[in-house]
Amino acid sequence: MESLIVSASMGAINPLLSKLSRLITEEHAKLKDRERKEVIFLKEELGCMVGLFRGSAMVEDPDVQVKEWMRQVREVAYDTEDWLDLFLHHQLKREQNFLGRLSHKARSRSKRLVEQIRQLRDRLVAASERRTRYKLVDGGMPSASEAAVDVFEASSVAIDPRLLHREEAAPVAIDGPKTELVKLLVDDERHLRVVSIVGMAGIGKTTLAKQVYRSMMMRKRFNCQAFVYVGQSPSVRAVLMDILRQVLPQTQEEGGCSSGMPGSGEVQQAIAQLRDFLQDKRYLIVFDDVWSTSAWKAINCGLPANSAGSRIVATTRNHDVAKSCSNYPDDDVIHVMEPLDESDSKKLFHSRIFGSEEEKCPEDCSPVHVNVLQICGGLPWAILVLASLLARKYVEPGGWNMVNRSTLARLEQYPPLKGLRKVLHMSYADLPLPMKSCLLYLSVFPKNYTINKDRLIWRWVAEGFIPSKGEENTLETGRSYFNELINRSLIQPVLADDGDDEPTGCTVHAAVHDFVVSLCSEENFVTLGESMQRDVIRRLSLNYAKQEDGPLASDMGDVKINLSKVRSLTVFGFAQRMPHLANFLLLRVLDLEDAEKLESKNIEDIGRLFNLRYLGLGGDHVTELPDSIGELESLETLEARRTTVSRLPPTASRLRKLARLLIKLLDDIPDGLEKMQALQELSMINVNSRRSLDLMAELVKLRQLRALGLKWCFRDELHGEIQTYRSDFVSSLNKITSSSLESLFLHSGDACSLDFLKDAWVPPRLLQKLVVKSLNYYFPATPVHIASCTNLTYLEIAINLSREEDLSIIANLPELTTLKLFAKENPIIIRHGFLCLKVFWFDCRGCGLNLVFKEAAAMPQLRKLHVSFKLLAQHQAQQGFDFDLHNLYALKQVHANIDCDGASVSDVVSMEDAIRKNVSMHPNKPALELSKDNYIEEKVTTDENI
C-alpha cells in the first residue's frame, strides 16, 4: 500500500506503524502484558502524530521550527524501526537456539525491552510537547494551493519520445556558436589551441561542447579524441584514466598494465603514458565542467603542447579558470555564453510543450511566456525543466489560465531564489512524496555518473520507496517513477549502443545534482563522504576515487562517527579505504559494484547483515561468496556480474526472498534451487555438464521466473552423448519457456552449435525479448517457431540468410520494434514487413555492404539504422555498392561502422564518401555517424573539405 513507503519527509513512520501493529497481534513475538502495553502506547502516540506530520510533509516550505520538529520525529521513527528489526531478529535466533526457554534470561530480556520502549516513547512525547508548546502545527491538512502532490497514478507511464530523441535535433540557438567554434578548431594553425566555453550553470555549456565534439568527429581531422568530465573535486588519476580509455586503441587498452591501463593510484604513470601516446598525435579532448585552476594545472601535465594541430575545449563557470586554460593567450579563445533572448526562449518552450517550435500555441498561453522568461532568465535548462512541469498541467484549451495563476503563485513563494534553482524548487514541490525520495536518492551517485536503470529501481525497492503492490506491480511502479522523472527533465535518459528506444540508465544534470545534494543534507536523507560530521547517518555514499591521499577508513575512529544506524552504503573508488562491514549491522542496501580492488575477504562478515535486501559486488578479485550469505534471509537482489564469482555456496538455497540472481557465468548452483520461489531473474547459467542439465529441469518449478540467461557449452566433437544432451536441453527449455518467461538470453560457447534448436525449440508465448548470440555461430536458417512470438519487441540473432523466407519470418513479427541482425549472406533485400520496427542494427562483417530497402512498405517507422560491415574493395567493385535509403521515410539517424582490416586508406575514404553521399540524399537529412575498426592512419592530411 502507498501509505507504507519510506520517504524523505515522513521517514519510516508509516511502515513502522504497520510493524508495531503486527508486533502487538502476532503470537511469535511472545510479548508479556507490560511489554505489549508499552508497545501499544508507543504506537498510539505515533499514530496521533501521523496526520499532522503528513500535512507538514506536504507543505512546500515549512517553517524552520516545523522542520526541526519533523526531523526529531523522523529520527525517533527510524530508531524505533531499527530497534524493532533487531528485536525480532534476536527473538528468532533465540527460538532457533532454544535460549527462550531459560527463564532468568527471559526476565532480563523483558526488563531491557520495557526500558528501550520507554526511552523511545519518552523521546516521542518530548517532541510532541515541544510542538504543542511552540504551536508549531495548528492541525489539519494544508490547502490545495500549498500542498505537494501525494498521489501519483503510476501505471505504465511512457517516456515522451521527444526527450528520447533530443540529440537528433539541434538545440535552440546553438548553430551559430557551434559553427564559430568549429572554424577555430579546424583551421591550419599547428600549435595547440585551447577554446574555453564560460557560463553559469544551466546555460548550455555542455550541450554546445557536445555539439562541437560531434561535429569534429565527423570531419576526420584528428587521430584520437576524448570527452571527459572533470567536476568540482576531481581525481586527477580518474580523469587521466578516462582519457586513456578513449584514446588508446582497443587492443592496447585490453592488454596488461605494461602496455595498457595504469594501475590504481599510478598518477605519474598515467601522465607519462598519456604524454607519450599523444606526443605526435593530432588530438581533440573536451574537458567538461572545470572548476579550479589547480585541477586544470594537474590535468594539463598529461597533455603535450605539440605542433600537430591538436585542440582542447574546456567548459567552466569561472572566467579566471578559462584564462588559466590558455597556452597562448593571444591565440586561444574564450567563448562567453549568454542567456537565450525572448525569441529563442519561446522556441525552446514551444518545442518541449507542443512538440515543435512552429506549432501555434493557444491564445491563453501567451501570458505564460512572460512568466517563463521572468523565472528562468533565459537559461535553457531552466526553461526545459519548467516547460516539462507545465506540460503535465496543461490538458485542454483554457487550462493555461489556471497554469498561469499557478506559476505566479509559485513565483511569489521563492523571492530569494533565481533562475534554475527557483525552477527546481517548483518542480520538486510538484512531485508526489514517494517520487521526491526517489529523486533525492540520486545523490548517492557521483556527479555525471551514468546510473543503470535496473540497479536504481531495485535499490528504490530495497529502501522501501516504492509502494508495495506485489513484486511485478512494484517493479512496474518503479519503472513509471523513472519514466516520469525523465518526462519532467529532472534526469536524462541514456540509451543502449544498439539504439533501442528503451533507456538503460540515466544521468543527472550538474545543477540538479547540486540541488538534490543540498536537500539531502537538510533532511539528513543521504550523507556524502565529504560531509560525514553529523550525529546520525542513515544513508552513506563514500567516493574514494577523489581521495587518493586521504585517510583510510580505519582512521575514522578518532572522529567518532556512528555508523551503526546506516541503512545504505555505496562505495566508489578504493575498497580498502571503506569501513569494515561489522560497523553496519542494519544495512538494507550494500552497493560495492564500483569499489576498486574489492576482494572476497572484504565481504566475509556479510552474513551479519540480517536486514540486507540489495547486494551489489564488483571487481575481478571477488572470486567467491562466503557461506554466510545464506543468513541474508531478506535478500532480494544479488548483483555480481562484474566479479569472477562462478559458483554459489550450498547455503544460497536458503535465500527464499531472492528475486534477482545475476552472475556473469554460473558454473554451479547448489541443490535446493526449487526452494527459491521468489526468483524472477536468473542469469547466466553455464550449461556444460550433466549436472547443469539436471539443474535446468529444476527451473521449471520457478513459477515467478521472468528473465533467464543460459550458455550452451557442449562441443559436438567432445561429447559422445551429445544427442542426449541436446534432447534434454530442448525438453527443459520448452518446459521453462511454456511459463511466463518474458526475456530469454541464449549464448553459445566458441564452436558450440545451436543448430538443433532450429526446428525443435518452441519459444514462450509471452516472450518479449530474445537474444541469441555467439562470437562465431550463425543459425543456418531462421528458427521456424519464432513466427509464433507475437509479443516479441526485441530480437538479437545471427542467421545465414540464404533464403528470402528466413527474413520474411522476422519481418512478419507484429510487435517487433528493435532488431539486431548478424548475417553472413549478401546482398540483403528488404521488400516488406517490419511494420513497427524503429531500430535496425545490421552486422555483416563477413562481407561488404549491400543492403537494399526495395519497397516503401518496408520498415515504415524506422528511425535509427546501424550498419557494420567489412570493407572489401574487390567485392564491392564486382557486386556494386547499394545503400539506397530513400524508402525509409521516418529515418532520423544512421551509424555506419567500417571494418578496415586489409583495406587501403583510399578505399576507406571512398567508402566514407559514398555513405555520406547516400545519406545526404535522403529528404529527412538524417544525422550520420561514421566509425572505423582496425584503421591506423599514421598521418592525417589537412586539405580536406570543412
Side-chain angles (χ1 to χ4, degrees):
M1 295 179 59
E2 183 123 350
S3 62
L4 299 184
I5 62 169
V6 176
S7 69
S9 299
M10 297 284 290
I13 290 179
N14 288 314
L16 173 59
L17 285 172
S18 177
K19 286 185 177 182
L20 289 173
S21 297
R22 292 199 303 271
L23 179 66
I24 294 168
T25 58
E26 291 181 358
E27 290 188 8
H28 76 82
K30 293 182 172 56
L31 293 179
K32 297 183 181 299
D33 287 342
R34 64 172 183 168
E35 295 171 351
R36 183 173 282 104
K37 289 179 181 179
E38 292 293 342
V39 173
I40 291 173
F41 188 95
L42 178 65
K43 176 179 176 294
E44 290 178 347
E45 184 69 23
L46 188 62
C48 290
M49 290 187 176
V50 168
L52 295 173
F53 197 91
R54 192 175 187 84
S56 300
M58 293 172 64
V59 174
E60 292 184 13
D61 191 17
D63 181 83
V64 174
Q65 291 180 311
V66 173
K67 286 183 179 180
E68 175 59 21
W69 169 71
M70 292 174 65
R71 185 195 67 79
Q72 293 172 4
V73 176
R74 269 199 310 270
E75 295 302 332
V76 174
Y78 275 130
D79 287 345
T80 305
E81 188 183 36
D82 290 345
W83 161 79
L84 187 54
D85 288 341
L86 280 168
F87 167 74
L88 294 175
H89 173 65
H90 291 155
Q91 180 79 5
L92 178 62
K93 291 301 179 184
R94 274 191 295 269
E95 292 177 358
Q96 292 174 347
N97 297 319
F98 304 101
L99 294 179
R101 296 179 180 178
L102 303 178
S103 59
H104 68 282
K105 288 184 177 292
R107 286 192 297 270
S108 176
R109 178 196 67 86
S110 177
K111 184 177 180 180
R112 290 198 307 272
L113 178 60
V114 170
E115 290 176 354
Q116 289 169 340
I117 298 175
R118 285 177 177 172
Q119 288 175 6
L120 293 168
R121 184 197 67 185
D122 291 345
R123 288 173 58 191
L124 199 60
V125 170
S128 179
E129 290 176 349
R130 280 191 290 272
R131 172 187 60 80
T132 304
R133 186 184 316 127
Y134 296 110
K135 299 179 181 180
L136 299 182
V137 182
D138 294 330
M141 296 295 289
S143 65
S145 63
E146 66 178 350
V149 181
D150 191 37
V151 179
F152 177 66
E153 297 298 330
S155 56
S156 300
V157 173
I159 298 175
D160 187 334
R162 292 169 294 181
L163 297 174
L164 291 176
H165 306 296
R166 191 184 297 163
E167 297 290 339
E168 295 175 7
V172 171
I174 285 291
D175 284 343
K178 182 184 77 171
T179 301
E180 176 185 343
L181 295 183
V182 167
K183 287 181 178 178
L184 291 169
L185 295 172
V186 300
D187 67 8
D188 293 334
E189 186 61 57
R190 303 303 295 172
H191 67 250
L192 174 65
R193 173 176 289 165
V194 180
V195 173
S196 300
I197 303 174
V198 185
M200 67 182 75
I203 203 167
K205 302 183 298 297
T206 302
T207 300
L208 175 57
K210 286 182 177 179
Q211 290 285 323
V212 170
Y213 183 72
R214 189 174 294 113
S215 178
M216 297 304 299
M217 288 184 66
M218 292 291 297
R219 295 170 188 271
K220 308 179 300 178
R221 304 288 297 194
F222 299 93
N223 300 101
C224 55
Q225 53 276 322
F227 194 110
V228 295
Y229 175 79
V230 180
Q232 187 171 4
S233 303
S235 161
V236 175
R237 183 187 69 90
V239 173
L240 296 176
M241 295 277 282
D242 195 0
I243 299 172
L244 281 168
R245 273 189 288 267
Q246 296 183 56
V247 301
L248 284 178
Q250 185 175 3
T251 53
Q252 185 175 348
E253 180 184 335
E254 292 173 352
C257 277
S258 59
S259 61
M261 305 297 289
S264 298
E266 298 169 352
V267 177
Q268 294 304 318
Q269 182 185 344
I271 291 174
Q273 184 172 356
L274 186 58
R275 288 188 65 88
D276 182 64
F277 181 79
L278 297 178
Q279 191 61 54
D280 59 349
K281 303 290 192 304
R282 186 175 191 181
Y283 62 84
L284 168 67
I285 301 178
V286 178
F287 294 93
D288 187 32
D289 202 19
V290 182
W291 278 67
S292 67
T293 57
S294 59
W296 173 252
K297 289 178 180 178
I299 295 169
N300 194 41
C301 292
L303 307 175
N306 59 27
S307 299
S310 298
R311 300 290 183 261
I312 291 174
V313 178
T315 73
T316 179
R317 306 180 189 185
N318 190 307
H319 201 277
D320 291 334
V321 173
K323 289 181 179 179
S324 73
C325 293
S326 298
N327 285 340
Y328 301 92
D330 295 335
D331 185 61
D332 290 342
V333 176
I334 296 177
H335 175 81
V336 180
M337 297 200 68
E338 301 292 342
L340 299 180
D341 59 22
E342 181 177 356
S343 175
D344 287 331
S345 296
K346 187 174 181 180
K347 287 180 182 179
L348 181 58
F349 182 78
H350 276 210
S351 65
R352 174 64 188 98
I353 290 193
F354 303 111
S356 70
E357 301 171 8
E358 295 79 15
E359 185 172 335
K360 187 177 180 180
C361 69
E363 292 183 4
D364 56 352
C365 177
S366 296
V368 177
H369 295 150
V370 177
N371 288 328
V372 168
L373 291 175
Q374 182 180 358
I375 296 172
C376 300
L379 292 178
W381 192 256
I383 295 172
L384 189 62
V385 174
L386 183 55
S388 297
L389 171 64
L390 299 184
R392 296 185 62 259
K393 298 183 175 296
Y394 172 69
V395 180
E396 57 187 17
W400 282 112
N401 287 325
M402 181 273 290
V403 168
N404 195 41
R405 289 193 298 271
S406 173
T407 303
L408 287 171
R410 299 287 182 85
L411 178 62
E412 293 170 355
Q413 288 185 24
Y414 304 110
L417 302 172
K418 298 293 182 182
L420 180 54
R421 191 165 182 85
K422 180 184 300 182
V423 171
L424 290 174
H425 266 280
M426 292 172 58
S427 187
Y428 177 76
D430 189 67
L431 291 173
L433 291 181
M435 204 177 296
K436 286 181 177 179
S437 305
C438 293
L439 176 65
L440 295 186
Y441 198 62
L442 299 173
S443 63
V444 303
F445 298 98
K447 195 179 291 186
N448 203 53
Y449 184 87
T450 298
I451 307 168
N452 178 272
K453 180 176 73 171
D454 289 341
R455 178 184 183 183
L456 178 62
I457 292 174
W458 278 95
R459 286 189 55 160
W460 284 345
V461 172
E463 291 276 6
F465 300 156
I466 307 296
S468 179
K469 303 175 182 178
E471 287 292 343
E472 188 171 351
N473 290 332
T474 297
L475 289 179
E476 184 62 33
T477 301
R479 294 186 185 106
S480 293
Y481 282 11
F482 183 87
N483 293 348
E484 182 63 18
L485 290 176
I486 290 176
N487 287 341
R488 293 172 183 253
S489 296
L490 294 173
I491 61 176
Q492 293 76 59
V494 173
L495 302 180
D497 292 338
D498 59 15
D500 185 7
D501 274 3
E502 182 65 29
T504 58
C506 68
T507 58
V508 184
H509 189 277
V512 178
H513 192 274
D514 291 341
F515 175 74
V516 297
V517 166
S518 67
L519 287 183
C520 283
S521 179
E522 291 178 15
E523 303 274 4
N524 192 23
F525 188 66
V526 172
T527 302
L528 304 183
E530 52 265 34
S531 57
M532 289 180 62
Q533 305 298 325
R534 53 169 76 242
D535 296 334
V536 178
I537 299 175
R538 301 293 178 185
R539 298 171 187 87
L540 179 60
S541 179
L542 299 173
N543 190 348
Y544 294 119
K546 57 186 180 183
Q547 299 178 23
E548 293 95 339
D549 299 320
L552 293 174
S554 58
D555 298 330
M556 291 166 49
D558 296 336
V559 187
K560 300 187 182 304
I561 297 173
N562 183 7
L563 301 175
S564 63
K565 298 180 180 181
V566 175
R567 295 176 161 227
S568 162
L569 174 64
T570 310
V571 177
F572 300 89
F574 305 120
Q576 305 308 319
R577 297 183 182 275
M578 74 178 189
H580 195 279
L581 291 182
N583 294 300
F584 301 98
L585 186 60
L586 294 169
L587 274 185
R588 295 164 180 248
V589 172
L590 176 59
D591 193 336
L592 305 177
E593 290 186 49
D594 294 285
E596 298 179 23
K597 303 295 183 181
L598 185 70
E599 300 177 9
S600 299
K601 66 179 182 181
N602 297 126
I603 57 173
E604 287 177 351
D605 294 331
I606 203 166
R608 302 179 60 183
L609 309 181
F610 68 93
N611 235 0
L612 199 65
R613 287 152 169 76
Y614 180 100
L615 175 59
L617 302 172
D620 292 343
H621 298 290
V622 180
T623 58
E624 60 182 2
L625 299 174
D627 289 339
S628 63
I629 199 168
E631 300 294 323
L632 306 180
E633 296 179 359
S634 297
L635 193 65
E636 298 168 347
T637 298
L638 174 53
E639 168 61 90
R641 284 177 292 189
R642 293 165 67 177
T643 70
T644 54
V645 170
S646 61
R647 58 174 296 276
L648 293 178
T651 57
S653 60
R654 291 157 52 185
L655 302 175
R656 306 297 172 81
K657 295 183 180 180
L658 192 66
R660 299 178 76 225
L661 174 55
L662 305 174
I663 292 178
K664 186 176 181 180
L665 192 60
L666 197 54
D667 288 324
D668 186 29
I669 295 180
D671 294 332
L673 178 67
E674 72 281 358
K675 299 176 183 177
M676 303 167 71
Q677 285 296 311
L679 270 180
Q680 298 180 38
E681 297 183 45
L682 176 58
S683 182
M684 168 76 64
I685 298 177
N686 193 11
V687 184
N688 63 350
S689 65
R690 179 73 259 175
R691 174 172 168 76
S692 59
L693 285 169
D694 294 340
L695 171 67
M696 282 192 60
E698 298 296 316
L699 296 179
V700 180
K701 301 175 183 178
L702 301 178
R703 298 300 181 184
Q704 301 298 319
L705 201 60
R706 296 290 182 269
L708 175 64
L710 301 169
K711 184 173 182 178
W712 174 261
C713 286
F714 284 104
R715 294 190 181 185
D716 295 4
E717 70 275 12
L718 297 181
H719 299 278
E721 300 180 7
I722 189 66
Q723 294 301 330
T724 302
Y725 293 159
R726 289 173 176 172
S727 176
D728 291 349
F729 183 75
V730 171
S731 175
S732 295
L733 193 59
N734 283 341
K735 290 177 182 178
I736 295 168
T737 56
S738 65
S739 61
S740 301
L741 205 66
E742 297 174 354
S743 299
L744 179 62
F745 303 84
L746 281 176
H747 294 195
S748 67
D750 192 26
C752 297
S753 171
L754 293 174
D755 288 2
F756 64 96
L757 293 178
K758 183 173 69 69
D759 298 317
W761 173 54
V762 180
R765 178 175 52 87
L766 301 178
L767 196 65
Q768 298 175 21
K769 183 172 185 176
L770 174 61
V771 176
V772 186
K773 62 192 302 185
S774 172
L775 288 177
N776 302 302
Y777 174 75
Y778 292 79
F779 275 108
T782 302
V784 293
H785 294 292
I786 283 183
S788 65
C789 298
T790 55
N791 293 301
L792 201 65
T793 60
Y794 183 105
L795 175 61
E796 180 176 340
I797 194 168
I799 305 174
N800 183 1
L801 295 174
S802 57
R803 306 174 305 165
E804 190 167 327
E805 53 264 37
D806 289 324
L807 195 59
S808 296
I809 292 174
I810 301 174
N812 290 324
L813 294 172
E815 301 294 331
L816 193 65
T817 58
T818 301
L819 173 61
K820 196 169 183 179
L821 182 62
F822 298 82
K824 292 181 71 173
E825 291 297 319
N826 197 273
I828 303 299
I829 301 176
I830 299 174
R831 302 181 186 276
H832 61 82
F834 300 101
L835 298 182
C836 293
L837 198 69
K838 296 180 180 179
V839 179
F840 182 29
W841 181 302
F842 181 66
D843 191 307
C844 51
R845 290 175 182 266
C847 49
L849 177 62
N850 271 303
L851 182 61
V852 182
F853 300 92
K854 195 70 173 178
E855 300 176 11
M859 301 186 178
Q861 297 190 52
L862 191 72
R863 295 178 60 89
K864 300 179 182 179
L865 174 64
H866 184 121
V867 293
S868 296
F869 63 96
K870 185 172 179 61
L871 178 54
L872 302 173
Q874 286 187 332
H875 177 86
Q876 298 286 189
Q878 294 169 3
Q879 301 294 329
F881 172 77
D882 201 336
F883 191 50
D884 191 348
L885 307 175
H886 74 276
N887 281 327
L888 301 176
Y889 296 147
L891 192 63
K892 297 293 184 181
Q893 287 181 287
V894 177
H895 181 188
N897 178 265
I898 307 171
D899 184 352
C900 307
D901 188 25
S904 67
V905 173
S906 60
D907 288 338
V908 175
V909 172
S910 296
M911 178 57 71
E912 289 182 317
D913 290 342
I915 293 174
R916 283 194 182 92
K917 179 180 178 181
N918 279 32
V919 173
S920 66
M921 294 171 62
H922 194 283
N924 291 352
K925 303 299 180 186
L928 171 64
E929 182 178 350
L930 284 168
S931 59
K932 300 183 287 289
D933 291 337
N934 300 311
Y935 180 69
I936 300 176
E937 186 180 15
E938 296 297 331
K939 184 178 180 180
V940 178
T941 58
T942 58
D943 57 352
E944 300 167 18
N945 292 328
I946 296 175

